[in-house]
Amino acid sequence: MAVAMLVYENDKSVSSTMMSPGEPLHAEQEQEVVEEESEPLQPLQPSLEVHPPLLLDVSHGQASFQCNPPDWSLPPHDEKQAEFQKGCIYALEYELQVQQADIPPPSASAPAEVLLQQVAAALSDNGWRSVKSVLGPVQDVVQVTALRAGRFYAARIVATASCTHAVGEEQQLVQFSASSSEILPYRTLPTPPGQMQAPALAQRARTALKLKWAVPDETGGEAITQYELLVTPQPQAWEGPTADEEGWTLLYVGDERSYKLGKLGPGQRFSFRIRSSNILGSGPWSLSSTFTTQASVPGQPEPPLQVASTKDSATLQWQAPADNGAVVSSYQLEIDDGRQGEYRLAYTGQETHCTVQQLQSGLQYRVRIRAENCEGYSVWSHVAA
């Protein structure tokens, strides 16, 4: 009986020989004899031609795409492989993926090729998110939502083929590597900016308030061109535009992100709101924020007035001065000796009146008063006699 063998020399196949049982090998032909073995057949990996998605419609917050199934084919193969392939069941799945490209708003004269390069350079391998998967070679229309206005995005289709075939009595699944289409760049429609955060306090003084603000979270996809800052009530020393029907006064228009309002009084309270604009228009007004200038010592009180007297006492009364942002906590009243001498403390308390005892009839007394709050004492009032 003849046996088919592969004969190797120096690890290279040199011939295939038919040998009869008992036939000796020649001494000069000492070679390794290896029984021919064939590798188990495996399913062929299909070749996929993945088409990029087609943009059907786009708005400021969503876009819709037509997704066409990939074309696929098997590589050339022999009859033995073809017979094996009859037991292979192939499946095709593809999905639409999108990714935002963080690039600045384009200028009106920017060439399309430059924009495409910027979009491609801004993409990352792990930045893609799957929108929808489609099983089988079917066409589908997919809508992408929750997009930001005026932003650049890229879309692509990623396809994966798999095959199930029998191995003995079991079914084995083979998952082939994925293939991607070319990217499709697109831009959502820009809009005016969104609502800003209320102005924040940067610095506070007794006669000034400095405000600051941030770029709105939603710029609408275009560069911010200006900010408008309002205040209410109108400052007393204000010389600009008059207040509107709601009492708001336009303080500032410009592209800076801070503003200092001066010529104010201590302890004065003001409310502010702001909005931003781009080339498409203005956004809504922010919520208001309220700040108070730094408090100061009370204003100078008016001299006390005598409202009643006896031969040895006098009852005095006075008006509360401006508190300048901090509540008046007490008053101090001083009186001299009736002979133009030094002053002495006659009253300390929260009331705006007091009675001074142990006075001598016929003398002309001088009195003065001052107020106190958490910032300190006011100056003394003018002398009352």
Side-chain angles (χ1 to χ4, degrees):
M1 181 178 67
V3 179
M5 305 292 291
L6 283 177
V7 182
Y8 291 86
E9 181 179 16
N10 296 328
D11 296 328
K12 295 181 180 178
S13 176
V14 295
S15 64
S16 179
T17 307
M18 298 299 296
M19 300 179 62
S20 299
E23 181 180 351
L25 292 173
H26 297 288
E28 66 275 8
Q29 295 179 336
E30 290 184 359
Q31 300 157 333
E32 182 180 5
V33 180
V34 181
E35 183 178 358
E36 181 180 8
E37 295 181 358
S38 61
E39 293 291 332
L41 295 176
Q42 296 292 333
L44 295 175
Q45 178 170 349
S47 175
L48 299 179
E49 182 183 355
V50 187
H51 307 290
L54 300 177
L55 183 63
L56 300 179
D57 185 49
V58 63
S59 65
H60 64 273
Q62 61 185 24
S64 59
F65 298 89
Q66 177 178 308
C67 301
N68 295 314
D71 296 327
W72 70 287
S73 61
L74 294 177
H77 49 279
D78 56 21
E79 293 182 1
K80 188 175 182 180
Q81 182 71 45
E83 185 66 25
F84 175 82
Q85 290 293 129
K86 293 180 181 180
C88 297
I89 301 175
Y90 284 83
L92 180 65
E93 183 178 6
Y94 69 91
E95 65 179 16
L96 176 68
Q97 297 180 347
V98 297
Q99 182 178 164
Q100 181 177 337
D102 291 324
I103 63 175
S107 64
S109 59
E113 310 84 59
V114 174
L115 293 177
L116 291 178
Q117 294 174 1
Q118 291 178 341
V119 170
L123 301 177
S124 63
D125 292 339
N126 57 359
W128 296 96
R129 67 179 178 93
S130 176
V131 178
K132 184 179 180 180
S133 296
V134 179
L135 186 62
V138 295
Q139 186 183 87
D140 198 6
V141 174
V142 180
Q143 189 172 67
V144 183
T145 59
L147 303 179
R148 299 185 66 187
R151 279 13 181 238
F152 281 91
Y153 291 86
R156 71 178 184 180
I157 290 179
V158 177
T160 305
S162 61
C163 178
T164 303
H165 69 102
V167 178
E169 296 182 356
E170 298 181 355
Q171 293 292 318
Q172 181 176 346
L173 175 66
V174 178
Q175 194 79 27
F176 301 106
S177 57
S179 299
S180 300
S181 71
E182 295 182 354
I183 65 169
L184 172 67
Y186 65 99
R187 187 190 185 198
T188 54
L189 300 182
T191 64
Q195 187 178 42
M196 296 181 61
Q197 296 293 322
L201 182 65
Q203 186 178 4
R204 181 176 69 160
R206 292 178 177 176
T207 59
L209 290 171
K210 186 176 182 180
L211 306 171
K212 62 181 180 179
W213 51 88
V215 176
D217 295 334
E218 182 52 72
T219 64
E222 296 289 349
I224 299 299
T225 55
Q226 70 173 27
Y227 300 95
E228 297 172 87
L229 179 67
L230 302 181
V231 65
T232 188
Q234 189 177 87
Q236 294 180 354
W238 180 251
E239 298 177 352
T242 58
D244 62 17
E245 296 178 354
E246 298 180 356
W248 292 96
T249 299
L250 181 62
L251 275 184
Y252 170 76
V253 178
D255 58 2
E256 299 293 332
R257 299 217 310 269
S258 65
Y259 178 80
K260 185 176 182 178
L261 175 61
K263 298 182 180 180
L264 305 177
Q268 292 183 341
R269 183 182 179 92
F270 297 94
S271 295
F272 303 88
R273 64 181 183 180
I274 194 168
R275 70 177 179 181
S276 59
S277 302
N278 61 22
I279 59 174
L280 297 178
S282 300
W285 290 105
S286 71
L287 299 177
S288 62
S289 54
T290 301
F291 306 106
T292 304
T293 54
Q294 185 177 337
S296 180
V297 298
Q300 184 182 31
E302 293 294 326
L305 299 176
Q306 180 178 316
V307 294
S309 65
T310 64
K311 63 179 181 179
D312 61 355
S313 68
T315 299
L316 304 173
Q317 184 175 307
W318 57 90
Q319 296 294 325
D323 62 14
N324 287 339
V327 177
V328 173
S329 56
S330 67
Y331 298 93
Q332 290 183 336
L333 184 138
E334 291 186 342
I335 189 169
D336 72 354
D337 59 3
R339 298 180 177 85
Q340 303 295 310
E342 294 183 356
Y343 286 94
R344 65 178 176 86
L345 184 62
Y347 170 78
T348 298
Q350 297 179 344
E351 302 297 333
T352 55
H353 58 85
C354 71
T355 298
V356 183
Q357 305 287 345
Q358 298 178 350
L359 302 178
Q360 294 184 22
S361 179
L363 293 181
Q364 187 77 18
Y365 290 91
R366 295 179 302 162
V367 294
R368 63 182 186 180
I369 192 170
R370 68 178 181 180
E372 180 186 15
N373 64 13
C374 62
E375 297 292 323
Y377 290 101
S378 71
V379 299
W380 290 103
S381 68
H382 294 298
V383 173

